Amino acid sequence: MNELQVLEYDEIRVLTTQQLAEVYETNANNIKFNFNNNKERFTEGRDYYLLKGNELKEFKNYVSDTNLVNPRTPHLYLWTERGANRHSKILDTDKAWQQFDILEETYFKVKHDLIPQIPTDTRDILMLTIKAHEETAQRVDKLEEKVSELEISTTINSSQQNTLNKTAKHTVINVLGGVGTPAYEKLSSKLFSRIWSDYRNYFKLGSYRDTLKTEFEKAKNYLESWIPEVNLQLKITEINSQMSMKL
């Protein structure tokens, strides 16, 4: 096994997909294929890290070798020791098992064997404590940032979808004057289609199911206050009035 360039992320030794492929004497596409077919066996943050956005940009600055990190890649997988172990099991070849044993005893073990010297001077202990607090605070900030990003990108659940459906139905029925009205009989399908069409256009969505949780209340208020275009309102009034005149 050729000497690997040492890479670290969040103070943990990692390997890129390209490095892992070279170690196991396979190709990067095979690593990606095996991962996609066995995602349930991997846990993000434990077996691998997926870098995007600013995190990826910072890591690209850290790694200048374009053979390891393509400058144009939109995302990057970094494999931990556990992730490398799982890939060796999936490949299940004598070579993969042998190479992982070497990785475990060299590349990953070196980091494990680095035992920091414990300071005895009071000032050094204080500085070390301050540094530890700062690092903890930074990790908490990163975690809160990730949680915030997750909340922003999470869509509504089935219960909230049901609430929006009921709200839209209630609004359309009221606009048509009730379930038993002539307008409801003739125009209900058209209005149900129109309210969801207007909704998708307003929130710029392919489906109401794609509504973000952070916009649920706004979405609910939109459906509660929705009214059809003027021509359609006039048609509803006309249809219901004609029936009233007949009666």
Side-chain angles (χ1 to χ4, degrees):
M1 179 171 62
N2 296 329
E3 185 175 349
L4 290 168
Q5 178 179 334
V6 175
L7 297 178
E8 290 188 357
Y9 178 75
D10 203 16
E11 299 183 2
I12 296 175
R13 285 207 173 179
V14 293
L15 294 169
T16 64
T17 300
Q18 185 60 40
Q19 284 180 308
L20 200 60
E22 290 174 1
V23 169
Y24 290 154
E25 296 186 2
T26 183
N27 58 67
N29 286 335
N30 194 26
I31 296 292
K32 295 174 185 176
F33 178 81
N34 287 340
F35 172 65
N36 288 330
N37 284 341
N38 296 274
K39 276 189 176 182
E40 71 280 358
R41 299 186 182 182
F42 294 83
T43 302
E44 186 172 357
R46 186 182 67 178
D47 301 317
Y48 69 92
Y49 296 99
L50 176 57
L51 305 191
K52 298 178 182 178
N54 290 332
E55 288 182 340
L56 177 57
K57 185 177 180 181
E58 291 176 7
F59 193 78
K60 285 180 179 178
N61 293 333
Y62 165 61
V63 181
S64 58
D65 190 344
T66 56
N67 291 324
L68 294 179
V69 182
N70 187 330
R72 296 183 178 179
T73 187
H75 61 267
L76 179 69
Y77 284 91
L78 297 175
W79 306 100
T80 66
E81 182 176 359
R82 291 177 62 99
N85 185 19
R86 273 163 170 68
H87 274 292
S88 71
K89 292 178 180 178
I90 293 170
L91 288 167
D92 197 24
T93 64
D94 291 339
K95 190 65 178 178
W97 284 104
Q98 179 187 355
Q99 293 295 74
F100 176 73
D101 287 341
I102 296 173
L103 278 176
E104 191 176 34
E105 291 301 319
T106 56
Y107 186 82
F108 291 114
K109 185 176 175 60
V110 172
K111 184 64 178 178
H112 295 165
D113 290 346
L114 293 178
I115 302 175
Q117 184 178 358
I118 301 175
T120 56
D121 182 76
T122 304
R123 183 176 181 279
D124 290 342
I125 293 175
L126 178 60
M127 295 301 293
L128 187 62
T129 303
I130 292 173
K131 183 181 178 181
H133 281 302
E134 289 176 347
E135 290 177 350
T136 300
Q138 289 174 359
R139 291 188 180 187
V140 170
D141 288 342
K142 282 185 178 180
L143 181 60
E144 289 178 345
E145 184 178 339
K146 288 182 179 179
V147 170
S148 178
E149 289 176 356
L150 181 62
E151 289 177 344
I152 291 172
S153 61
T154 302
T155 56
I156 56 176
N157 57 36
S158 57
S159 176
Q160 291 170 316
Q161 292 173 18
N162 189 43
T163 297
L164 293 186
N165 263 315
K166 287 182 177 179
T167 303
K169 183 176 181 180
H170 180 74
T171 297
V172 168
I173 289 173
N174 282 342
V175 168
L176 291 170
V179 174
T181 61
Y184 182 87
E185 296 296 328
K186 292 185 177 182
L187 299 175
S188 58
S189 296
K190 185 173 185 177
L191 255 71
F192 280 122
S193 175
R194 184 64 57 83
I195 190 172
W196 287 120
S197 175
D198 289 349
Y199 179 92
R200 292 192 299 272
N201 289 335
Y202 182 82
F203 288 98
K204 295 180 174 57
L205 301 173
S207 167
Y208 79 97
R209 295 182 180 86
D210 298 327
T211 304
L212 298 176
K213 275 193 173 184
T214 53
E215 294 204 318
F216 173 68
E217 289 300 327
K218 181 180 178 181
K220 189 167 174 286
N221 290 335
Y222 176 88
L223 293 174
E224 288 174 341
S225 58
W226 178 85
I227 54 174
E229 61 191 49
V230 174
N231 288 342
L232 202 48
Q233 290 183 61
L234 292 173
K235 192 170 184 179
I236 292 169
T237 302
E238 179 183 351
I239 292 173
N240 285 338
S241 296
Q242 287 175 354
M243 180 57 65
S244 297
M245 290 174 63
K246 289 179 180 180
L247 294 174

